[in-house]
């Protein structure tokens, strides 16, 4: 179907009707980590029944209001909305205000004229619709290629030909930035120009995803093209942007963990059930244990000892976990943090309630003694140094958490040292950011360590939060 300037109604691509299409959209949101319950789904159905389906942006905002609970979900919602409620079906034919790609007399695309047109449009605030139509034509004519499945589309091929980044100087001129403009106004214009170039790239990518989804299915495109929730990002594969988003979510996750610990602590105040006294007291009721007798609870908050691999291979996981534990310091009577690469050093002094993680990590590597001769992870040497230099760190009241992927670079894992630490500690757990199926592969000693200490897979912030909330003692 050629949609032109009129959006395609969702019903045209919904074999199960609009209600079934909406349910499929909700299921896609859930698959990407957005919690949408039955009540929100019903509200979304009511929203769809009263809005004009031909006004796509109104529909977008209406569904967002009905389905989303947190602003951090918006980017994922928008990506899925563009796939489930596309702006058009197939190639677009109409062009508002007769906007067309400039061509040479021979019929080829005139790149200099095209870049001039884009610079003009990007310097205006009311050109969103024209940019969308230009992007659609560019994807159709520059981004199309033949794949094993037939015709497909590539945003990279499209943008490689256009190179919108080289248009910044022209956009600044269109925004009024010149030699006589103040430095502040020039910087504002520069940031505006860069943001609009990034916005045009996003338009091209969205158009590419729409066209590809028609060939291979929107579910498959959503699996790689839609932004993931920060809590679901794999620590070992996260980009810098995703890691920054995870750090921003640390305080919220820390509040969740703190509330869970507080609930468990309230329940623990009653103490465990004393089975012997309960059965003895039940003799007065014919052996029926009507009144339960609890043991006297042991007061006091536990101690936490953190032994953390800060090498580059697990830096994202370690940094996030350190930040999370630092936010939970008030939940423990004492927290001691030790870091290592191939040597161990106590780094508790670098962390306080107001610590910025990047500064703390920089101090660990500049002031701490965590790197020895070659700077490659050596868990055996690190464990031995920890047990030798800080013999009083782990006691019978301590909960020991070890963070790392257990990749020893084929060196002695020193299992006896770890066994002694585990036997001394009240609780001992190992958090591993690798897939459990990879434990023991290559230079990984995880399969050996897990025979000595309980090891848990923690590949994402969501997984880490669930494991920590279950393991941390009260």
């Amino acid at each position: 179907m050629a949609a032109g300037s009129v959006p395609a109604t969702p019903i045209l691509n919904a074999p199960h009707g609009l209600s079934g299409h909406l349910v499929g959209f909700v299921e896609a949101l859930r698959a990407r980590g957005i919690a949408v319950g039955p009540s929100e789904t019903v509200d979304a159905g009511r929203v769809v029944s009263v809005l004009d389906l031909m006004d796509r942006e109104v529909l977008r905002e209406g569904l967002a209001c009905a389905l989303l609970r947190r602003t951090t979900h918006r980017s994922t919602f928008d990506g899925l909305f563009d796939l489930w409620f596309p702006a058009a079906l197939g190639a677009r034919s109409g062009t508002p205000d007769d906007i067309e790609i400039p061509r040479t007399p021979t019929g080829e695309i005139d790149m200099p004229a095209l870049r001039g047109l884009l610079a003009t449009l990007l310097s205006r605030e009311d050109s969103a619709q024209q940019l969308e139509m230009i992007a659609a034509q560019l994807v159709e004519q520059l981004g199309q290629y033949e794949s094993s499945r037939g015709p497909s589309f590539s945003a990279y091929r499209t943008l490689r030909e256009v190179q919108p980044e080289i248009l910044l100087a022209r956009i600044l001129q269109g925004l009024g930035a010149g030699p006589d403009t103040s430095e502040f106004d020039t910087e504002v214009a520069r940031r505006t120009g860069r943001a609009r170039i990034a916005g045009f790239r996003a338009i091209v990518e969205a158009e590419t995803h729409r066209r590809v989804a028609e060939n291979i299915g929107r579910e498959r495109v959503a699996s790689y093209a839609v932004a993931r929730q920060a809590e679901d990002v794999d620590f070992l594969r996260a980009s810098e942007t995703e890691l920054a988003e995870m750090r921003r979510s640390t305080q919220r996750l820390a509040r969740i963990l703190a509330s869970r610990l507080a609930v468990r602590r309230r329940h623990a105040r009653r103490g465990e059930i004393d089975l012997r006294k309960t059965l003895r007291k039940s003799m007065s009721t014919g052996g029926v244990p009507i009144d339960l007798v609890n043991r006297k609870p042991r007061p006091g908050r536990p101690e936490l000892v953190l032994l953390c691999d800060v090498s580059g291979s697990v830096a994202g996981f370690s940094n996030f976990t350190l930040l999370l534990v630092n936010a939970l310091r008030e939940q423990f009577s004492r927290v001691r943090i030790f870091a290592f690469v191939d040597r161990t050093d106590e780094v508790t002094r670098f962390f306080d309630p107001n610590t910025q993680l990047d500064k703390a990590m920089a101090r660990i590597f500049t002031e701490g003694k965590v790197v020895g001769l070659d700077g490659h992870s050596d868990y055996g040497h690190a464990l031995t140094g920890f047990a030798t230099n800080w013999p009083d760190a782990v006691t019978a009241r301590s909960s020991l958490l070890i963070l790392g992927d257990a990749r020893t670079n084929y060196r002695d894992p020193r299992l006896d040292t770890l066994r002694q630490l585990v036997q001394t500690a009240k609780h001992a757990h190992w958090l591993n950011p690798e897939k459990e199926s990879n434990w023991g592969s290559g230079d990984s000693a995880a399969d050996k360590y897990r025979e000595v200490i309980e090891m848990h897979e923690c590949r994402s912030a969501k997984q880490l939060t669930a494991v920590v909330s279950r393991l941390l003692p009260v």
Side-chain angles (χ1 to χ4, degrees):
M1 170 187 172
S5 60
V6 180
T9 57
I11 197 70
L12 291 176
N13 199 28
H16 302 292
L18 184 56
S19 58
H21 191 74
L22 181 60
V23 170
F25 176 60
V26 169
E27 290 176 348
L29 291 173
R30 291 172 180 164
R32 300 301 284 182
I34 299 179
V36 181
S39 61
E40 287 87 355
T41 306
V42 172
D43 290 341
R46 292 173 178 170
V47 166
V48 170
S49 66
V50 298
L51 292 181
D52 181 6
L53 299 183
M54 301 301 289
D55 194 332
R56 187 164 172 266
E57 292 309 311
V58 169
L59 179 63
R60 182 196 300 269
E61 298 303 321
L63 289 178
C65 291
L67 297 173
L68 300 185
R69 302 177 185 177
R70 295 204 300 264
T71 56
T72 55
H73 293 162
R74 186 57 194 256
S75 60
T76 302
F77 170 88
D78 285 337
L80 291 173
F81 181 90
D82 288 337
L83 292 175
W84 259 257
F85 300 88
L89 297 177
R92 306 197 205 194
S93 58
T95 55
D97 300 329
D98 295 326
I99 292 292
E100 294 183 356
I101 296 178
R103 296 185 178 278
T104 62
T106 59
E108 298 180 352
I109 296 178
D110 189 340
M111 280 297 171
L114 172 62
R115 295 190 179 110
L117 174 61
L118 282 177
T120 301
L121 293 176
L122 290 172
S123 63
R124 290 164 41 190
E125 295 184 358
D126 58 348
S127 59
Q129 194 174 18
Q130 288 85 355
L131 287 172
E132 287 184 4
M133 298 309 302
I134 289 291
Q137 296 177 60
L138 291 176
V139 169
E140 179 72 25
Q141 299 177 39
L142 296 179
Q144 188 169 179
Y145 69 98
E146 287 295 326
S147 68
S148 58
R149 295 175 175 268
S152 190
F153 301 87
S154 167
Y156 170 76
R157 293 169 64 96
T158 303
L159 295 169
R160 180 188 62 185
E161 297 291 336
V162 179
Q163 296 180 323
E165 291 78 8
I166 66 176
L167 303 178
L168 182 59
R170 297 186 186 182
I171 296 173
L172 292 179
Q173 185 177 3
L175 293 173
D180 299 331
T181 309
S182 67
E183 184 176 348
F184 175 79
D185 291 337
T186 300
E187 180 61 23
V188 171
R190 184 177 291 108
R191 294 188 181 187
T192 301
R194 289 172 178 167
R196 292 184 181 178
I197 290 173
F200 178 72
R201 294 181 67 91
I203 292 173
V204 171
E205 290 172 357
E207 179 68 16
T208 303
H209 296 156
R210 178 184 74 82
R211 298 303 306 275
V212 174
E214 294 175 355
N215 293 338
I216 66 176
R218 49 184 169 240
E219 291 84 2
R220 185 172 176 183
V221 173
S223 65
Y224 68 82
V226 177
R228 296 171 291 178
Q229 296 301 299
E231 294 89 344
D232 296 324
V233 174
D234 193 322
F235 285 119
L236 302 185
R237 294 180 174 84
S239 64
E240 287 298 325
T241 302
E242 290 171 331
L243 287 174
E245 183 62 34
M246 280 193 287
R247 295 189 189 104
R248 284 192 290 269
S249 67
T250 302
Q251 292 300 324
R252 182 179 60 81
L253 295 177
R255 288 194 298 270
I256 293 174
L257 282 176
S259 63
R260 291 178 182 175
L261 289 174
V263 171
R264 289 173 57 193
R265 192 168 288 125
R266 284 198 302 270
H267 292 167
R269 288 173 185 169
R270 294 194 295 266
E272 298 177 353
I273 295 176
D274 190 324
L275 184 59
R276 178 177 296 180
K277 291 183 178 180
T278 299
L279 292 177
R280 185 177 299 169
K281 192 170 184 178
S282 69
M283 298 302 293
S284 62
T285 57
V288 180
I290 296 177
D291 297 319
L292 300 179
V293 180
N294 298 91
R295 300 180 189 273
K296 186 177 180 179
R298 298 178 180 178
R301 291 178 295 177
E303 297 177 356
L304 181 63
V305 178
L306 205 65
L307 184 57
C308 182
D309 181 1
V310 293
S311 61
S313 61
V314 293
F317 165 66
S318 300
N319 293 0
F320 181 81
T321 309
L322 283 172
L323 197 62
L324 187 63
V325 170
N326 191 53
L328 289 169
R329 290 176 74 102
E330 295 181 357
Q331 303 296 321
F332 304 93
S333 60
R334 188 182 186 188
V335 176
R336 296 186 70 177
I337 302 174
F338 298 84
F340 69 89
V341 176
D342 56 351
R343 293 176 57 188
T344 304
D345 191 14
E346 183 169 6
V347 296
T348 311
R349 63 189 182 278
F350 300 144
F351 292 86
D352 59 60
N354 300 316
T355 295
Q356 293 184 0
L357 183 64
D358 54 347
K359 294 182 179 179
M361 296 305 297
R363 293 186 64 188
I364 287 175
F365 284 100
T366 56
E367 302 177 34
K369 299 177 181 179
V370 299
V371 180
L373 295 176
D374 59 3
H376 293 92
S377 296
D378 188 342
Y379 281 78
H381 189 265
L383 288 169
T384 302
F386 171 67
T388 302
N389 298 327
W390 294 274
D392 60 338
V394 179
T395 67
R397 296 186 65 244
S398 302
S399 294
L400 175 64
L401 280 184
I402 302 178
L403 314 178
D405 57 5
R407 294 200 170 270
T408 63
N409 290 292
Y410 301 101
R411 296 168 181 173
D412 186 355
R414 306 288 178 91
L415 298 177
D416 292 339
T417 303
L418 177 62
R419 187 174 289 108
Q420 293 174 2
L421 293 172
V422 172
Q423 291 173 352
T424 302
K426 183 177 181 180
H427 305 283
H429 301 279
W430 189 307
L431 308 184
N432 194 324
E434 283 197 340
K435 288 183 179 180
E436 187 173 354
S437 59
N438 292 337
W439 296 356
S441 64
D443 62 345
S444 172
D447 57 335
K448 299 176 182 178
Y449 283 133
R450 71 186 302 186
E451 297 177 358
V452 179
I453 186 173
E454 189 174 354
M455 189 172 288
H456 308 270
E457 179 186 292
C458 294
R459 296 173 54 208
S460 65
K462 179 185 291 185
Q463 211 172 12
L464 175 66
T465 304
V467 170
V468 171
S469 64
R470 187 176 70 253
L471 297 182
L472 287 183
V474 295

